[in-house]
Structures are given as structure tokens and as C-alpha cells.
């Protein structure tokens, strides 16, 4: 009996929250709520529970709680209809009312059919009114909520399950917002689903930014808890951006933009957290936007150039190849190193176009060298974002095939995280490239998270140690022990070792003694443009230099 009543009460209050936030027809809400309340009180007061009615109440509780899954259509269970017919009729009537209210609202094109929350259009017009009519000096807050891993749920469990998850997320948001914001008409928040996995909340009256931050923190915590969906425990998390009116804007556009920027920052910081917009964030964002535009133009204007850094065998001293490193000849700022623009290119996605330019440039160089009788391997870096593009592998193969360059002349460097996280389909493509002669390397190994089983299964030829591992091997016994262990591990999976950023003879000597195969570093050569590189190679091979 008690659990039945508890279930009933819990449904009752979440329904209240639902109606309160979605703000369906006020009169219907009032009559439904009053009717249900009377029914519940009258029932509990007049009925003495027996076994049958207790079971019926439990069944009713389960039926009511199915609302959390979006079920407004199933009929009341038979046991309820048989033993508590009045209650069953009242509940069926209630559902019919709710359904028709929702349908009316949808018919007006104002509500999202999945979650029954206001949609983007409704949100914009309502929020605009709320901001426009707020009394002078009143602060309000705009919150942007974006789920962190929704896409993978949609991809793995299908869209129907994805929709159910969105309903559950919307319900949690309703509960948090209702619990956190007091129940007065001028504080009534507006919660909406903008699109996909994006939700937004306007809180029309806050006393300080801390008020909004508290709600944002609670939302990140609530959505961070796993969701139980048909036997799956699903961990999605949410990133929340917060903007304050008037500090960060006083129109719906400026506030939404500010909250969006703050949300992206929360996501970049790992997700499952909130971020408050600030002037510093705005400035950083501007740099990012400007750089993105300049990068787009740079691709078209041909402002990129590849510098080549030789790699040498520690055993024979021979030049085994080179790594192509990107440089940007910025029209005003001069030469820019990749660390100043690659992260922005990756976060904006423009790395895909830049990466394509690198591949075509590498193919062109190798074709030129072939014509001059030089067959030397060239390695280039591949960003994880490039692998997101379905046409990456066909584009790469076409670039080399069109210039008659065999894949045995190229080496692809993937970051450790890309190697560990890429899909089976991508792994197959990498394996196919390797079967056709390409060399596969993992770059900057030792700073990410490696799964040893994955490392063993990976189509792999070489592992490049992260510079931080070897920086002080000539000075620190502990560093030597760690590097020796890593070398052993990499050799164990059958790959060669490349050490980069080698700056001291002592480092090279230790690495050679430890069984490292290849080195790349300022001690032997800095990255050079093509002509200098070719001249350097000619000199080295003419015996002017000795490295072994
Ligand atoms: P990386 O792929 O690990 O490249 C090695 C970096 O170490 C290069 O920096 C190189 O100049 C630097 N280096 C080489 N020898 C030494 C040394 O002895 N001491 C020190 N301190 N540094 C040394 P760079 O050219 O600034 O490139 C930085 C990173 O930018 C690269 O690290 C790579 O992750 C990324 N990058 C460069 N070109 C591309 C590209 O075409 N595409 C992508 N996606 N990333 C690139
Ligand atoms: Mg590299
Ligand atoms: Mg590296």
C-alpha cells in the first residue's frame, strides 16, 4: 500500500513539475491537479486496503511511473479497472486530457513532439518576451545544456531508444529546475529542447550569478548519473553553459551565443560540468573565430608549407626518411608553428581540409623525388578529426595513385588516442593501407591511455616515444628505467622504436644502448624546407656527416 501511494505521489509531483514547466492550458492543469488530489485523498481516507487493492495500487503506480518513459497511451491495467473502477476511470480520463493538451500544443507547432518541451521557435519568442518585459535591474540567466555522449547512444541503440533517453533527460531537467527555482510566477523558468541533444533554460529572475551556477551544477550532476534504459546503464553526461543578463548580453541572441560559447568550454574541459561565460572566454572565442577564418583562407591562398625533419637509424647512421611538419606563412604574423593553430583547426574541423592539403603536398613531393631517382620515405601526421571523414582513405589512396607514388614510400602517424579510439572500420582501412605497403606509426606514445591488447591487435610498424619520456634520460635514473620498460613493451608488440626531440649526444647514446632503432631531433637536424632537406641528404650521403 505504502509503495503504491509513494508511487502515486511521486507521479503526481512529477506531473505537476511537467505541467508547471510546459505550461499547458492553465484551466485544464488546475482541474486535473485538483481532481487528482481529491481522488487520492478520498481514496486513501475511505478505503481499507486489502490484498487485491494493494496489488491494484502497485499496478497503478507502475502504470503512472511509465509516464517517465513517455507512455501516455497504454490503458490502466486490468486489475485496477476491476478492483478500483472509479480510480481507473479517473486516471484514464486524466491521460486523455493530457494527451489532448499535448496534441493541441503540438498542433500549434510550439512543442517538441519527443519530449513535449517547448521547441526552439516557442523558446525564442517566449524568452524574448520574458527578457523584454523584465523590470529594470532584474537579472536573468540563460543556460545551455548539451549532452556529451548522446550520439554514441543513438548510433549503438537506435533512434527509438535515443528518443526515450531524451524523454528521460527532459524529465530530469524538469525535476531539477522545479526543485531549484522557487515557485513564484515571476520566477517560472522556461525549459526547451532546441534541437538534437541541446536543451536550454531561461531563468527569469536571479539574485546573483551564483543562483544560476547552482542550477547548472545540479543539472550537470543529475545528467551525470547513469540512465537505466531497457537493461542498459547509460552514461551520457551533460555540458552546461551559463550566461547572465545583463552582464553577458541583454538580448536573446547575445545570451544564447554567450551560453553556447560557455557550454563549449565546459565540453572542452572534459564535459559533465558547467562553465560561466566571461570576458576572457569571449576574447578567446574571438581569436578562435578569427583563426578559423584565416585558416580557411590560408588553404585557398596556399599559405601552408611542409618542413621536413630527417630520421636516422641509431644502428647504421643511415637516413631512413623524414617527417613532414606543417608551417603556416601567415601574411601578417609571419611563420606560425603548428602548435599555435593545429588545436584550433582540430576543434573547428578545418583540419580535414588542411590535412588533405598535407597529403596532396606529400604526394607531389614524393612524385618529384621519384622522377629525380630519390626513393625516400616520408611520414606525415594524421589528426583524429580527419578520420571522421568517410572519404579520408579513398582520398588518400587517390592522391598517391594519381601521382604513381607507391604506398611503401609513406608513413602515417596517428596519435595514441586516435589509435586507441578509432572504430573497427577505420582499423580495417589502416590494415589495408599497411598491406599495400604503407608504414603505420603511433606518435607521442606514453602520454595518453594505451590499451595493451589494442596495441597488440593494431596494424603497427613504429612507435614514436613522447619527448617528455626522454627529456631527462641523460640525467635521471628513474627516467631511464621508465624508457627502458616502454621500449621493452613496444618491442614486445613487435614494433620499432623512434625517439623524437633528441637534443643531446648523451640521450642518443643511452637510447642506442637501450635498443631504440631510430632518432629524430635537433641534435641531428632541424626541420628544413624541401630544397634544404634534399641538399642535406645529399651531403650526408656523400659522407660529409657521420652520425652512427
Ligand atoms: P610531432 O608530430 O610529434 O612532431 C614533432 C615535433 O617535435 C615537431 O614540432 C618538431 O619540430 C619537434 N622537434 C623535433 N626535434 C626536436 C628537438 O630536438 N627538440 C624539440 N624541443 N623539439 C623537436 P612542430 O613542427 O612544432 O610540430 C608540433 C606538432 O604539431 C607535431 O608534433 C604534430 O603533432 C603537429 N603537426 C605538425 N604538422 C602536422 C600536420 O601536418 N598535421 C597534423 N594533424 N598535425 C601536425
Ligand atoms: Mg608526428
Ligand atoms: Mg611526436
Amino acid at each position: 500500500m505504502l509503495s503504491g501511494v509513494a508511487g502515486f505521489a511521486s507521479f503526481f509531483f512529477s506531473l505537476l513539475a511537467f505541467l508547471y514547466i510546459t505550461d499547458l492550458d492553465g484551466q485544464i492543469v488546475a482541474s486535473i491537479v485538483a481532481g487528482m488530489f481529491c481522488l487520492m485523498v478520498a481514496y486513501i481516507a475511505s478505503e481499507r486496503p486489502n490484498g487485491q487493492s494493494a496489488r491494484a495500487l502497485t499496478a497503478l503506480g507502475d502504470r503512472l511511473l511509465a509516464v517517465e518513459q513517455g507512455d501516455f497511451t497504454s490503458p490502466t491495467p486490468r486489475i485496477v479497472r476491476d478492483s478500483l473502477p472509479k480510480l481507473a476511470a479517473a486516471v484514464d480520463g486524466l491521460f486523455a486530457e493530457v494527451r489532448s493538451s499535448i496534441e493541441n500544443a503540438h498542433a500549434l507547432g510550439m512543442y517538441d513532439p519527443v519530449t513535449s518541451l517547448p521547441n526552439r521557435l516557442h523558446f525564442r519568442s517566449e524568452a524574448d518576451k520574458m527578457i523584454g518585459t523584465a523590470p529594470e535591474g532584474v537579472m536573468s540567466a540563460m543556460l545551455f545544456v548539451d549532452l556529451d555522449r548522446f550520439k554514441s547512444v543513438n548510433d549503438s541503440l537506435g533512434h527509438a531508444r535515443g528518443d526515450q533517453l531524451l524523454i528521460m533527460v527532459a524529465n530530469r531537467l524538469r525535476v531539477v529546475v522545479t526543485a531549484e527555482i522557487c515557485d513564484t510566477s515571476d520566477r517560472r523558468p522556461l525549459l526547451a529542447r532546441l534541437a538534437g541533444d541541446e536543451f536550454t533554460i531561461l531563468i527569469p529572475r536571479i539574485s546573483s550569478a551564483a543562483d544560476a551556477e547552482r542550477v547548472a551544477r545540479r543539472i550537470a550532476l543529475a545528467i551525470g548519473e547513469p540512465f537505466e534504459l531497457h537493461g542498459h546503464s547509460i552514461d551520457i553526461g551533460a555540458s552546461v553553459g551559463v550566461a547572465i543578463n545583463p552582464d553577458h548580453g541583454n538580448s536573446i541572441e547575445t545570451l544564447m551565443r554567450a551560453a553556447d560559447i560557455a557550454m563549449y568550454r565546459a565540453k572542452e574541459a572534459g564535459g559533465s560540468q558547467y562553465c560561466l561565460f566571461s570576458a576572457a572566454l569571449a576574447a578567446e572565442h574571438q581569436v578562435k573565430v578569427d583563426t578559423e577564418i584565416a585558416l580557411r583562407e590560408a588553404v585557398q591562398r596556399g599559405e601552408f608549407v611542409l618542413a621536413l625533419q630527417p630520421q636516422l637509424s641509431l644502428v647504421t647512421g643511415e637516413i631512413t626518411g623524414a617527417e613532414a611538419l606543417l608551417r603556416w606563412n601567415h601574411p601578417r604574423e609571419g611563420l606560425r608553428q603548428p602548435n599555435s593553430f593545429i588545436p584550433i583547426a582540430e576543434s573547428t574541423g578545418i583540419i580535414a581540409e588542411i590535412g588533405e592539403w598535407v597529403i596532396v603536398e606529400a604526394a607531389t613531393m614524393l612524385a618529384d623525388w621519384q622522377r629525380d631517382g630519390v626513393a625516400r620515405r616520408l611520414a606525415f601526421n594524421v589528426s583524429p578529426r580527419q578520420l571522421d571523414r568517410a572519404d579520408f582513405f579513398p582520398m588518400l589512396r587517390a592522391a598517391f595513385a594519381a601521382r604513381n607514388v607507391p604506398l611503401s614510400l609513406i608513413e602515417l602517424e596517428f596519435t595514441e588516442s586516435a589509435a586507441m579510439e578509432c572504430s573497427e572500420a577505420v582499423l580495417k582501412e589502416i590494415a589495408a593501407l599497411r598491406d599495400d605497403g604503407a608504414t603505420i606509426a603511433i606518435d607521442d606514445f606514453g602520454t595518453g591511455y594505451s590499451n595493451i591488447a589494442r596495441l597488440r591487435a593494431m596494424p603497427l610498424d613504429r612507435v614514436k616515444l613522447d619527448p617528455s619520456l626522454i627529456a631527462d634520460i641523460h640525467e635521471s635514473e628513474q627516467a631511464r628505467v621508465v624508457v627502458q620498460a616502454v621500449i621493452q613493451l613496444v618491442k614486445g608488440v613487435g614494433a620499432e622504436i623512434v625517439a623524437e626531440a633528441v637534443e643531446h649526444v648523451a640521450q642518443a647514446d643511452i637510447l642506442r644502448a637501450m635498443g631504440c632503432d631510430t632518432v629524430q631531433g635537433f641534435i641531428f637536424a632541424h626541420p628544413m624546407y624541401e630544397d634544404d632537406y634534399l641538399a642535406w641528404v645529399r651531403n650526408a650521403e656523400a659522407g660529409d656527416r657521420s652520425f652512427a
Side-chain angles (χ1 to χ4, degrees), residues 309 323 325-327 338-339 381 443-444 500-503 522:
Q309 187 176 31
E323 177 177 7
L325 295 158
L326 192 61
R327 302 288 180 261
N339 289 339
N381 295 280
D443 204 357
D444 303 334
E500 23 177 25
V502 178
E503 295 181 349
F522 295 166

Side-chain angles (χ1 to χ4, degrees), residues 91-369:
V91 168
D92 283 341
L94 165 74
F95 279 130
E97 293 267 27
V98 171
R99 272 197 312 272
S100 96
S101 292
I102 291 173
E103 277 157 19
N104 284 344
H106 290 166
L108 291 173
M110 310 255 283
Y111 288 87
D112 160 42
V114 176
T115 60
S116 299
L117 287 176
N119 61 15
R120 176 188 289 271
L121 215 66
H122 185 178
F123 178 79
R124 287 186 67 98
S125 73
E126 278 300 300
D128 220 16
K129 270 188 244 154
M130 285 159 91
I131 293 171
T133 56
E136 194 58 27
V138 166
M139 288 170 86
S140 55
M142 176 80 77
L143 273 62
F144 233 89
V145 181
D146 189 283
L147 304 181
D148 293 330
R149 287 171 293 277
F150 179 69
K151 189 177 173 298
S152 61
V153 175
N154 240 358
D155 291 348
S156 58
L157 299 181
H159 287 255
R161 294 280 153 87
D163 282 356
Q164 283 177 347
L165 188 60
L166 288 172
I167 293 169
M168 295 165 95
V169 168
N171 286 343
R172 279 197 196 170
L173 290 174
R174 287 182 179 109
V175 170
V176 171
V177 170
T178 315
E180 286 294 319
I181 299 162
C182 29
D183 187 3
T184 59
S185 62
D186 66 344
R187 290 252 300 168
R188 184 170 291 189
L190 182 64
L191 166 63
R193 178 178 173 221
L194 285 193
D197 58 355
E198 291 170 16
F199 296 83
T200 191
I201 302 158
L202 181 79
I203 310 173
R205 184 186 279 270
I206 52 169
S207 45
S208 71
D211 257 5
E213 287 186 82
R214 195 188 62 242
V215 179
R217 190 178 307 115
R218 285 292 315 275
I219 288 174
L221 282 175
I223 307 299
E225 289 292 317
F227 288 84
E228 295 303 323
L229 188 64
H230 294 271
H232 298 272
S233 175
I234 293 173
D235 211 357
I236 42 172
S239 302
V240 187
V242 183
I244 307 293
N245 172 22
D247 299 3
H248 307 139
N250 53 12
S251 69
I252 179 99
E253 277 78 23
T254 49
L255 287 167
M256 282 176 84
R257 200 168 149 266
D260 193 37
I261 292 170
M263 182 278 290
Y264 268 104
R265 170 44 60 92
K267 210 173 267 296
E268 279 167 7
S272 264
Q273 56 189 289
Y274 81 92
C275 173
L276 177 65
F277 186 75
S278 66
L281 211 56
E284 249 176 68
H285 179 74
Q286 200 49 50
V287 170
K288 201 168 154 182
V289 170
D290 293 345
T291 309
E292 186 191 356
I293 296 169
L295 282 171
R296 223 167 268 288
E297 287 170 0
V299 179
Q300 280 145 22
R301 292 192 200 147
E303 290 170 7
F304 291 115
V305 59
L306 290 180
L308 310 175
Q309 187 176 31
Q311 297 177 337
L312 288 95
S313 160
L314 264 182
V315 184
T316 64
E318 277 170 334
I319 302 160
T320 58
E323 177 177 7
L325 295 158
L326 192 61
R327 302 288 180 261
W328 178 10
N329 271 320
H330 194 283
R332 287 180 309 283
E333 294 166 24
L335 192 68
R336 282 184 63 169
Q337 301 294 321
N339 289 339
S340 77
F341 62 88
I342 293 273
I344 295 177
E346 289 190 322
S347 73
T348 56
I350 189 156
I351 189 70
E353 278 126 82
I354 299 175
E356 187 168 344
W357 178 87
V358 170
I359 287 170
V360 171
E361 184 68 7
T364 309
M365 270 187 193
L366 284 167
D368 290 349
W369 299 353

Side-chain angles (χ1 to χ4, degrees), residues 15 23 30 54 64 83 100 151 176 180 188 209 299 307 320 434 459 485 509 514 519-520 527 543:
L15 187 76
D23 199 10
L64 297 178
S83 47
S100 96
K151 189 177 173 298
V176 171
E180 286 294 319
R188 184 170 291 189
V299 179
T320 58
R434 185 166 181 263
D509 288 341
M514 284 179 174
V519 280
Q520 178 183 340

